[in-house]
Amino acid sequence: MDTRARPTLALARELIARPSVTPDDAGCQALIAARLAPLGFRSETLASGVVTNLWARRGDAAPLVCFAGHTDVVPAGPREAWATDPFTAVERGGYLHGRGAADMKGSLAAFVTAIESFVAAHPRAAGSIALLLTSDEEGPAVDGTVKVVEALAARGEAIDYCVVGEPSSAARLGDTIKNGRRGSLNGVLTVRGVQGHVAYPQLARNPIHQVAPAIAELAAIRWDDGNAYFPPTTWQCSNIRAGTGAPNVVPGVLELHFNWRYSTESTRESLIARLASVLDRHGLDYALDFPSEGRPFLTPRGRLVDVAAEAIRAVCGVAPELSCSGGTSDGRFIASICRELVELGPVNATIHQIDERVRVDDLEDLSAVYRGILDRLLAPSGPA
């Protein structure tokens, strides 16, 4: 196949060949920076710990349109389970197979070729274009995008429009735009009792018995009603630990792990206050810890959502739905310095799976969608 006619496919193959298992970038960002350099992009490598981050920008004027994503991938799993080597891009049955094909090296390749096409057509277009990449999205996400955002905020560099290349599509390319994500707040509840012999319960205080009614009440709470974009907030227990392992000992301590997936109708503070009021009412001796959180974000219908939908209709012939479903993404960090943000990428049916793949034809179409967004936001005459 002549890859000159399919530049996005060619670049996606190069990126997949680099085994960038989180947090190793494996040279992906250097490859992309080298492609952008002839276009006038100024690239900064912002390393943090073992994580590699890239901020590349062309131009200084507003508006600033940013494409954001990650070069790291999840581990491939057992090689023998794959039909072909996960880090050798293989075309089969109209699909490109390889770890990261859909999440998200296909999107990264489409970013680059869309930018190259746009700059060739509009070398003196108004505004600026940027690319924000990290090798920490699939990992703890503490040294990646959040560090770049902190650096940009410190120097007063804001983003007007951001497209995150997460695989947002459900059944076909462009059928879904993610215009927000629920918040995620992980908590640990420690309930203190008094250890003792099960035959003498009057001399002990069983934290399992004490917390059980509170758990039932918390599980039944309607935290909020959601809104036009988000479903109602949910609270779920994920792990519970108590006891010594002996059948005749009342445990002295219980540890409960839980999570909220919350809408913009609730806040961290409101959720914690409501939780504490239940625990207090049940007279528990307890402690709370909140080890990790992803704040919710939302971009209502507006310029970027409309432009992305127009570009999708023009290229893919579908009218995309707006969705705030799924887990967290790095969009939660970028939203703090960006007024409008969406997630738009390939079909997500095989992400993190054995034999991950993306439709070959979708790669060039995705590049055309990204190009259409640039045309509508930055080109003086609109789409070419």
Side-chain angles (χ1 to χ4, degrees), residues 15 20 30 87 97 120 135 185 232 236 245 248 256 295 316:
L15 291 169
S20 54
F87 295 108
H97 292 247
S135 67
L185 178 58
Q236 289 289 313
N248 60 349
L256 173 71
R295 298 286 177 125
C316 306

Side-chain angles (χ1 to χ4, degrees), residues 155-374:
R155 62 197 194 198
E157 199 165 356
I159 298 169
D160 296 289
Y161 306 106
C162 183
V163 177
V164 182
E166 288 292 337
S168 64
S169 302
R172 58 175 296 186
L173 180 66
D175 63 7
T176 306
I177 296 172
K178 302 273 190 182
N179 65 315
R181 293 275 190 161
R182 293 177 296 173
S184 175
L185 178 58
N186 290 311
V188 180
L189 167 65
T190 302
V191 179
R192 295 178 285 264
V194 176
Q195 184 174 307
H197 197 293
V198 296
Y200 302 94
Q202 72 276 15
L203 301 178
R205 191 171 73 249
N206 194 322
I208 299 175
H209 294 182
Q210 288 195 305
V211 79
I215 293 175
E217 183 175 341
L218 291 166
I221 287 177
R222 189 169 183 87
W223 301 90
D224 61 43
D225 294 322
N227 55 38
Y229 297 100
F230 290 96
T233 292
T234 61
W235 183 84
Q236 289 289 313
C237 299
S238 57
N239 290 279
I240 188 167
R241 302 187 188 94
T244 64
N248 60 349
V249 178
V250 173
V253 177
L254 176 143
E255 185 178 270
L256 173 71
H257 291 241
F258 60 89
N259 173 269
W260 279 290
R261 292 299 165 111
Y262 64 102
S263 77
T264 50
E265 297 299 306
S266 293
T267 65
R268 170 194 172 99
E269 294 73 23
S270 69
L271 295 172
I272 294 174
R274 198 167 177 187
L275 172 75
S277 71
V278 172
L279 301 176
D280 291 340
R281 190 166 59 253
H282 285 271
L284 300 177
D285 179 9
Y286 69 92
L288 285 168
D289 182 41
F290 298 94
S292 62
E293 179 186 14
R295 298 286 177 125
F297 65 90
L298 174 67
T299 295
R301 290 184 181 275
R303 178 71 172 145
L304 182 57
V305 169
D306 290 346
V307 158
E310 289 171 8
I312 289 169
R313 283 193 293 268
V315 175
C316 306
V318 298
E321 294 184 359
L322 295 182
S323 172
C324 297
S325 64
T328 59
S329 77
D330 277 1
R332 67 190 189 273
F333 304 124
I334 301 169
S336 67
I337 60 167
C338 179
R339 58 190 177 96
E340 297 186 43
L341 181 148
V342 297
E343 297 177 13
L344 173 56
V347 173
N348 57 27
T350 63
I351 61 174
H352 292 205
Q353 294 183 13
I354 301 295
D355 291 332
E356 180 181 351
R357 59 193 177 273
V358 65
R359 287 186 70 244
V360 171
D361 289 344
D362 283 355
L363 291 171
E364 304 307 332
D365 284 348
L366 183 59
S367 178
V369 170
Y370 292 154
R371 163 71 194 272
I373 291 172
L374 287 172

Side-chain angles (χ1 to χ4, degrees), residues 33-41 58 119:
R35 286 282 291 258
L36 296 177
L39 307 179
F41 277 79
R58 180 184 190 271
V119 172

